[in-house]
Amino acid sequence: MRYLPHTENDISVMLDAVKKETLEDLFTVIPENCKRKDLLALPGALTEWELDSLMKTRAGANASPTEYTVFLGAGSYNHFIPETVSYLIGRSEFATSYTPYQPEVSQGTLQAIYEYQTFAAMLTGMDLSNASLYDGATALAEACLMALRISKKNTIAISTLIHPHYRHVVNTYLEPTDCEVIEIPMLESGCTDFSVISGERELAAVVVQSPNFFGCIENIEELSEICRKGDSLLISSFTEPLAYGLFKTPGEQGADIVCGEGQSLGIPVSFGGPGLGIFTTRSKYVRSMPGRLVGKTKDKNGRRGFVLTLATREQHIRRGRATSNICTNSSLCALAATIYMSSLGKTGFRNLAKINYDKSEYLKKKLTDKGYDIPFAAPAFNEFVVKCPDGFRHTYDELLKKHIVAGLPLAKYYPELTEHYLFCVTETSSKESMDAFLKEIP
Amino acid sequence: MNEGKKSIAESISREPLLWDRGRVGRSGFSLPKRDVEDTPINEALLGQGPDFPDVSEVDVVRHFTKLSQLNFGVDTGMYPLGSCTMKYNPKINEKQAKLEGFTGAHPLLPCELSQGALEVMAELEEFLLEITGMDAVTLQPAAGAHGELTGMLIMHAYHKFHGSHRTKIIIPDTAHGTNPASAALCGFKTVPVTSGPDGILGADTVAEIMDEETAGIMITNPNTLGLFEEHILKIAEAVHEKGGLVYGDGANMNAIMGIADVGALGIDILHLNLHKTFSTPHGGGGPGSGPVCVMKNLASFLPVPRIITHNGEFALSEDFPLSIGRIHGFYGNFSVMVKALSYILSMGSDLKKASQLAVLNANYIKEKLKDVLHLPFDRPCMHECVFTDRLQQKNKISTLDMAKRLIDYGYHPPTIYFPLVVSGAIMIEPTETESKEEIDNFVEAFKAIAEEAAHSPDLLRQAPTAGRISRLDETEAARHPCLTG
């Protein structure tokens, strides 16, 4: 096997050195009744070329965006990714290193994370960021746990327009605690109805997502006022950070913790993972924050350098009393996002966001012209809900045969929204493909 | 942001921060053409947009290439970081994960349009069960610690389902810090248990503290001293007798693939690290993947959605009412799964050979270095061996000094000061992908360092000196945190 460098001679010399006769003898410490009797029943080893051909078949059995027109978003977005991103994150000095415990040989990873933290803070309008978490959903769960720690209260109010999977993850994480999760309903506009929590003082945190699951822009400023009066923390989640190229950031509208999914920033959809859990907050909460942090410092000779810092919050020091059990970040994805954000720059980021907005507005308008109902009137980014005529499910199935995925049926998540579909349009959807879709529907 | 003028020597030794390269008017992105009309937006909603620097594509490539050169990876050289299994990451696996049919597959596609991705996951599940000897598995956890949390949630749900309120969990002193932290997230109080004089856990010690308020035990086998927990069957018996469950931390699975039958060891829940045992790259600290395997009686508690087959097609089902729920936004780190599956398919039954050679390499290092480094437990080890700095302490040389000096010799240092049960621990895990020559060179380097410790200790205290940067002031970094630029 090409990954195993030992010759028969090496093995025999090494066995001599450790005073064993066979490789099996290395395992005499394992009691016989714990040993495997039979061989591993795995397929015979494949050559590189056999593996290529098998994997090509598997990959070919999925709908790829070059063969299909896919109007799907809902937490996973298809954007163009500059070649530089995959080229640079593929450099093995980044890819094959581990958590930068030894800063003298990890300055590359450390500086890149420091730059990522700076960009993530800018993107969300917050003071500081951690080195990233697994994904948007787990970042939200960690934010809720952090709010419970800070506030010492035990109720969390969460908007019904948070991504349903995120709500599900939060419930899973909080199940063993005595925390109560209450859901805030929506208004007819497609935004959250904050009036129901106005005057409430027992909430550890209020959780909102903007753009929300329907793509609608929430009024975080208004919510911030309610939270301030109720002495609750405001957690602002997101799934599409490109929106902050155009719209006000959660930070400038008063959020205390901003967390969400950074997949849009140069990371392929890859069947939902890996993603990038972005997590930012205000300076005063830094010591309650979960996850790794990189800080700037100096070496013995006064040269600038970077290290992992504030580790006393973490599991390897505090064990059972740590702020979370997180041991790593989503480092290579954070690097991809940093490269992506630098490639776009301030100017490119804003322009790209506007193109996304304009394209989705185009499809929205054309659908309205055709008589389709857009039930939620609030301004939206990239995504919007369409109420389709009764029996559209049949059209949807017919469209699949024509290589068009006409959005996400919402009834599974919101049973009252039968025949409602969530459409997503990004810069990757051409006018031509949208027009072709429009021609196919009644 | 600008840090002032630098000498030429200094600018060669480090890379400026990215924003120092920024100039308005540059761009590193090929902006897609506008083919629709501009639509006005409500001004009141508009923000400024993030103030990222505008840089050219060349700036981006040079900047990140230079940063990469400040890093050490497995491809750079031997990376014997104990407990992390820094084995070679095969290039062919990266190619598979980049196939457009995988990278472009949207997670919410109708199942009939994602059969290939689901088959990859189903196949990986099947192989992991064969390798561990367990009954059911979830691929959803995104990392080892995430797998631990999933395992603890399953344990919590199991006891709740059986109407048993349990508040404690037994964790040996050799455990990874993530174990107690994961247990704490489920409200369990840690009951620490000390390993015996031979570095392993005694069954009686566990039996004495195991009671009906204890949910179970979290045990790493082989443990973090690199030793096989020989009494595992009796320990499991003691825990099961009082209605508890045994959680196995599979971080060290690389020692026993095809050799020990985890299912038969009495372990009920086990997490694996695809980024350790199954060769996927660590990526500077993620993304990893931490599948959780369970025995039959716990299968119904696994996270949803789960992969099922229906009329010969793969599908995702949430119809498991006892499930702990969802623990990831979608299905876990799919592209990492593609790489791990590629590895298993390339290795076949040679996985057993990989474990054998990993253990041979570690025992060889143990034998070769035990004359110059103090070996606290002189018994056959598994895939890693743990030394201490006791012999060097008389020259006031610490583990940290030796670790930093290794950098000057061209090696990534081993894991240091872990496990906590050994003072000044030096934990060396060579993995099976290092050849005899590489290991001989590493041994010679360590011997030379031990010699220097005795005769010219200042060389170690100043180390590293060969690189672009010397020891960093971590105290200052924590006292006055500067986390953004």
Side-chain angles (χ1 to χ4, degrees):
Chain A
M1 206 301 141
R2 64 191 188 281
Y3 312 146
L4 306 176
H6 301 65
T7 65
E8 285 306 315
N9 189 51
D10 291 338
I11 293 174
S12 125
V13 173
M14 293 172 86
L15 281 171
D16 277 351
V18 302
K19 301 177 194 70
K20 301 279 181 199
E21 287 190 3
T22 66
L23 286 171
E24 304 286 341
D25 292 347
L26 291 164
F27 298 92
T28 47
V29 286
I30 303 183
E32 276 310 311
N33 51 359
C34 297
K35 278 195 188 155
R36 231 189 136 95
K37 305 287 177 288
D38 47 342
L39 293 172
L40 289 173
L42 295 173
L46 301 182
T47 65
E48 276 199 50
W49 301 277
E50 288 166 336
L51 181 67
D52 275 348
S53 136
L54 178 76
M55 284 301 186
K56 214 174 147 188
T57 314
R58 298 273 183 281
N62 303 315
S64 84
T66 46
E67 290 164 13
Y68 280 74
T69 300
V70 181
F71 294 113
L72 282 174
S76 185
Y77 302 94
N78 189 27
H79 289 289
F80 288 128
I81 301 174
E83 190 56 31
T84 44
V85 175
S86 66
Y87 170 79
L88 289 165
I89 66 165
R91 283 193 67 96
S92 75
E93 299 92 331
F94 285 130
T96 75
S97 60
Y98 192 44
T99 302
Y101 292 120
Q102 296 287 340
E104 296 86 353
V105 283
S106 316
Q107 284 300 302
T109 295
L110 286 161
Q111 184 171 333
I113 295 177
Y114 179 79
E115 292 176 347
Y116 161 79
Q117 289 176 177
T118 305
F119 283 1
M122 279 180 189
L123 176 71
T124 53
M126 300 297 279
D127 298 333
L128 49 91
S129 161
N130 69 11
S132 74
L133 299 171
Y134 308 133
D135 72 347
T138 55
L140 180 57
E142 290 284 350
C144 292
L145 290 167
M146 176 169 152
L148 293 168
R149 280 196 301 275
I150 293 173
S151 69
K152 310 268 189 313
K153 301 181 191 172
N154 72 346
T155 308
I156 299 235
I158 186 163
S159 160
T160 190
L161 294 171
I162 295 269
H163 194 299
H165 291 177
Y166 288 29
R167 276 184 278 134
H168 198 172
V169 171
V170 168
N171 286 329
T172 306
Y173 268 62
L174 295 183
E175 205 284 329
T177 69
D178 53 9
C179 167
E180 193 194 346
V181 180
I182 55 173
E183 209 159 282
I184 319 173
M186 65 173 114
L187 296 162
E188 277 184 5
S189 65
C191 286
T192 310
D193 184 3
F194 300 126
S195 68
V196 300
I197 50 151
S198 186
E200 185 60 69
R201 296 197 55 83
E202 292 310 310
L203 300 176
V206 180
V207 189
V208 67
Q209 175 182 319
S210 184
N212 65 27
F213 188 62
F214 295 165
C216 298
I217 308 294
E218 296 273 8
N219 189 343
I220 296 178
E221 235 156 339
E222 179 199 340
L223 175 61
S224 158
E225 190 62 19
I226 295 172
C227 286
R228 206 176 48 77
K229 286 188 187 143
D231 197 21
S232 318
L233 291 165
L234 197 174
I235 300 175
S236 192
S237 173
F238 61 87
T239 58
E240 177 49 291
L242 191 59
Y244 305 143
L246 274 184
F247 296 99
K248 281 183 187 162
T249 61
E252 68 191 286
Q253 298 178 83
D256 296 295
I257 303 171
V258 183
C259 55
E261 178 56 62
Q263 174 270 324
S264 272
L265 308 171
I267 301 158
V269 294
S270 266
F271 207 50
L276 171 69
I278 295 178
F279 193 107
T280 64
T281 188
R282 307 239 169 251
S283 300
K284 61 179 170 183
Y285 299 128
V286 63
R287 282 170 206 275
S288 305
M289 208 178 189
R292 299 276 194 219
L293 286 168
V294 170
K296 189 163 78 166
T297 187
K298 288 195 159 67
D299 80 350
K300 274 182 173 176
N301 302 313
R303 278 180 297 209
R304 184 201 68 204
F306 302 92
V307 291
L308 289 172
T309 195
L310 298 178
T312 46
R313 302 162 298 117
E314 293 185 59
Q315 47 77 26
H316 61 285
I317 311 278
R318 284 178 77 89
R319 299 175 78 84
R321 291 173 299 120
T323 55
S324 97
N325 73 335
I326 300 275
C327 186
T328 53
N329 51 341
S330 195
S331 210
L332 209 60
C333 297
L335 176 66
T338 311
I339 299 169
Y340 180 86
M341 291 186 275
S342 18
S343 299
L344 269 71
K346 180 188 170 82
T347 317
F349 202 75
R350 193 167 184 88
N351 288 339
L352 185 67
K354 188 64 175 47
I355 289 181
N356 273 257
Y357 177 80
D358 291 340
K359 290 207 178 209
S360 60
E361 289 299 313
Y362 174 81
L363 185 63
K364 199 194 269 183
K365 182 169 180 300
K366 290 285 170 184
L367 283 165
T368 318
D369 291 349
K370 274 187 95 106
Y372 283 75
D373 181 19
I374 308 292
F376 305 119
F381 183 76
N382 269 14
E383 287 179 278
F384 55 92
V385 176
V386 183
K387 184 174 184 303
C388 297
D390 287 348
F392 186 78
R393 184 73 216 193
H394 176 71
T395 313
Y396 181 91
D397 289 338
E398 288 300 308
L399 287 168
L400 288 181
K401 289 181 198 153
K402 294 173 181 161
H403 286 205
I404 297 170
V405 183
L408 180 74
L410 284 175
K412 179 183 166 193
Y413 307 99
Y414 301 88
E416 69 280 17
L417 298 183
T418 49
E419 302 297 359
H420 284 64
Y421 290 77
L422 179 65
F423 275 75
C424 174
V425 178
T426 73
E427 79 280 6
T428 62
S429 320
S430 65
K431 177 172 179 286
E432 200 186 339
S433 66
M434 290 190 272
D435 289 343
F437 157 66
L438 290 161
K439 248 189 225 150
E440 295 290 345
I441 55 172
Chain B
M1 284 185 185
N2 197 319
E3 293 182 5
K5 285 194 174 169
K6 301 170 286 275
S7 71
I8 290 174
E10 204 188 349
S11 68
I12 291 170
S13 75
R14 64 174 207 181
E15 170 62 13
L17 289 159
L18 186 61
W19 36 86
D20 292 340
R21 288 181 182 265
R23 300 289 181 275
V24 175
R26 286 187 187 145
S27 168
F29 184 68
S30 168
L31 196 72
K33 292 200 177 75
R34 165 181 294 282
D35 54 5
V36 297
E37 278 174 18
D38 195 87
T39 314
I41 308 182
N42 178 353
E43 296 272 332
L45 301 173
L46 281 181
Q48 300 298 310
D51 195 19
F52 303 145
D54 284 344
V55 292
S56 73
E57 180 165 329
V58 187
D59 290 326
V60 171
V61 171
R62 293 236 172 101
H63 177 72
F64 289 100
T65 299
K66 200 150 179 208
L67 287 191
S68 76
Q69 290 166 340
L70 304 177
N71 255 15
F72 190 104
V74 174
D75 288 2
T76 317
M78 186 166 159
Y79 207 128
L81 199 62
S83 224
C84 299
T85 315
M86 300 300 286
K87 62 167 75 176
Y88 170 66
N89 312 129
K91 306 309 162 200
I92 192 71
N93 303 350
E94 301 297 309
K95 180 182 174 187
Q96 312 310 337
K98 277 191 198 159
L99 289 170
E100 213 222 348
F102 291 142
T103 56
H106 194 282
L108 297 174
L109 282 171
C111 283
E112 64 262 36
L113 295 184
S114 53
Q115 287 296 302
L118 293 171
E119 187 165 7
V120 162
M121 293 171 72
E123 217 164 16
L124 180 61
E125 286 189 351
E126 181 195 330
F127 294 160
L128 294 179
L129 294 178
E130 169 59 22
I131 292 163
T132 55
M134 301 198 60
D135 296 324
V137 58
T138 173
L139 303 174
Q140 222 180 102
H146 203 205
E148 288 177 26
L149 172 61
T150 306
M152 285 300 102
L153 288 166
I154 291 173
M155 201 181 267
H156 187 268
Y158 167 87
H159 288 305
K160 196 173 172 185
F161 176 73
H162 289 281
S164 153
H165 183 66
R166 298 186 181 226
T167 52
K168 299 184 287 183
I169 187 135
I170 302 171
I171 301 183
D173 51 3
T174 49
H176 293 113
T178 47
N179 285 187
S182 302
L185 281 171
C186 296
F188 293 132
K189 278 194 193 66
T190 303
V191 182
V193 52
T194 318
S195 27
D198 46 1
I200 59 172
L201 208 51
D204 294 344
T205 334
V206 175
E208 269 165 36
I209 51 171
M210 181 64 206
D211 59 23
E212 274 156 20
E213 277 156 33
T214 304
I217 188 170
M218 291 184 96
I219 192 165
T220 310
N221 197 11
N223 68 22
T224 58
L225 290 163
L227 306 174
F228 192 83
E229 292 288 357
E230 290 177 34
H231 310 302
I232 182 72
L233 285 173
K234 285 204 165 140
I235 291 169
E237 208 177 288
V239 172
H240 289 149
E241 214 161 68
K242 297 277 166 67
L245 294 174
V246 180
Y247 182 90
D249 179 328
N252 297 336
M253 189 70 196
N254 204 44
I256 54 173
M257 282 185 293
I259 294 157
D261 185 334
V262 184
L265 295 180
I267 286 171
D268 302 293
I269 312 169
L270 171 83
H271 89 257
L272 299 169
N273 300 73
L274 299 186
H275 49 285
K276 295 179 181 178
T277 316
F278 298 97
S279 88
T280 72
H282 285 67
S289 174
V292 172
C293 309
V294 295
M295 297 310 276
K296 229 179 239 119
N297 58 332
L298 297 169
S300 48
F301 299 101
L302 286 173
V304 285
R306 289 174 62 188
I307 299 167
I308 55 166
T309 44
H310 184 66
N311 296 337
E313 292 222 323
F314 296 100
L316 288 161
S317 168
E318 295 193 30
D319 192 16
F320 294 91
L322 292 181
S323 163
I324 58 164
R326 191 182 270 278
I327 48 119
H328 185 269
F330 291 102
Y331 323 115
N333 288 344
F334 175 74
S335 82
V336 179
M337 299 169 205
V338 174
K339 297 176 198 182
L341 177 66
S342 298
Y343 177 71
I344 295 171
L345 288 168
S346 303
M347 293 292 284
S349 54
D350 267 343
L351 284 176
K352 179 177 181 180
K353 188 84 177 278
S355 283
Q356 287 175 327
L357 295 176
V359 172
L360 177 65
N361 278 355
N363 276 283
Y364 184 73
I365 290 179
K366 178 174 71 73
E367 284 306 310
K368 293 283 176 181
L369 282 179
K370 71 178 186 187
D371 296 336
V372 296
L373 289 175
H374 168 244
L375 180 66
F377 302 101
D378 190 2
R379 57 204 309 270
C381 66
M382 291 277 106
H383 64 302
E384 60 195 1
C385 52
V386 177
F387 295 100
T388 82
D389 57 3
R390 190 188 286 177
L391 301 177
Q392 284 69 36
Q393 282 290 351
K394 62 176 184 288
N395 295 310
K396 299 202 164 46
I397 286 297
S398 67
T399 288
L400 185 73
D401 297 324
M402 289 190 276
K404 298 298 184 195
R405 186 64 177 153
L406 268 172
I407 296 173
D408 285 337
Y409 279 82
Y411 294 97
H412 192 283
T415 293
I416 54 175
Y417 301 104
F418 184 82
L420 308 172
V421 288
V422 175
S423 164
I426 304 169
M427 185 197 221
I428 304 174
E429 180 182 8
T431 84
E432 72 280 8
T433 57
E434 295 303 322
S435 67
K436 177 173 175 296
E437 289 91 329
E438 286 288 354
I439 289 176
D440 284 335
N441 291 339
F442 174 77
V443 165
E444 288 314 311
F446 227 131
K447 283 183 173 169
I449 290 168
E451 191 66 26
E452 288 172 351
H455 302 295
S456 32
D458 263 348
L459 276 177
L460 277 71
R461 288 183 200 118
Q462 295 305 320
T465 50
R468 299 175 191 226
I469 202 152
S470 57
R471 273 190 225 186
L472 288 147
D473 190 344
E474 304 197 20
T475 317
E476 177 58 24
R479 195 168 292 154
H480 299 110
C482 171
L483 309 174
T484 56

